[in-house]
Amino acid sequence: LSIYLLLALLDMIMGIYKNVFKNNKDFKSELFLKKILSVAVMIIAVAAITQLTSFIKGMDIPFTSMAVFQGTVVYIFNIVKIFLVVSFLAYEATSIRENSIALKWTTLTETIDILLLPLTWIKKSLQKKITGE
């Protein structure tokens, strides 16, 4: 979560620098608000899933078969939380990459490309399977 917050802050600063100082455009509060809402949705979603998982773990289950079901539900919620965090991190990283391309900061772009390489590979593999190639 803290890494996500740092990436969101870096993305916001780069976006403001790119638009206001580099491109001499007016500051648009709706883009600023979009970033704040994006961060808020991430925090609320992760907190909600964490609270729900804690609640389900703490329930007393009298039957063994229901305990297995409970463990499965907790596992699924944890997988969803991990997917959510990775998705938001990838979103911020690609947004920072787009800003670095616009600012012509090639070193940062290349560094982010290396970090996004596993996700790019997964995306290409899934696209090949979907299209049947």
Side-chain angles (χ1 to χ4, degrees), residues 28-46:
K28 292 187 178 183
S29 59
E30 43 293 332
L31 294 177
F32 184 72
L33 182 63
K34 178 185 171 193
K35 179 54 71 179
I36 291 173
L37 288 175
S38 171
V39 171
V41 166
M42 166 64 172
I43 292 171
I44 290 169
V46 169

Side-chain angles (χ1 to χ4, degrees), residues 76-117:
I76 289 170
F77 280 136
N78 282 324
I79 294 296
V80 167
K81 184 169 61 172
I82 290 169
F83 178 75
L84 184 69
V85 169
V86 169
S87 298
F88 272 93
L89 288 173
Y91 170 77
E92 290 301 330
T94 53
S95 182
I96 291 171
R97 183 182 181 278
E98 290 169 358
N99 286 334
S100 67
I101 289 172
L103 292 169
K104 296 182 174 95
W105 295 350
T106 55
T107 305
L108 182 60
T109 305
E110 291 168 357
T111 303
I112 293 173
D113 284 344
I114 291 170
L115 294 174
L116 290 175
L117 194 60

Side-chain angles (χ1 to χ4, degrees), residues 15-26 102-104:
I16 291 171
Y17 176 76
K18 177 186 79 171
N19 289 326
V20 175
F21 297 107
K22 192 81 169 174
N23 296 337
N24 295 324
K25 294 181 181 176
D26 291 336
L103 292 169
K104 296 182 174 95

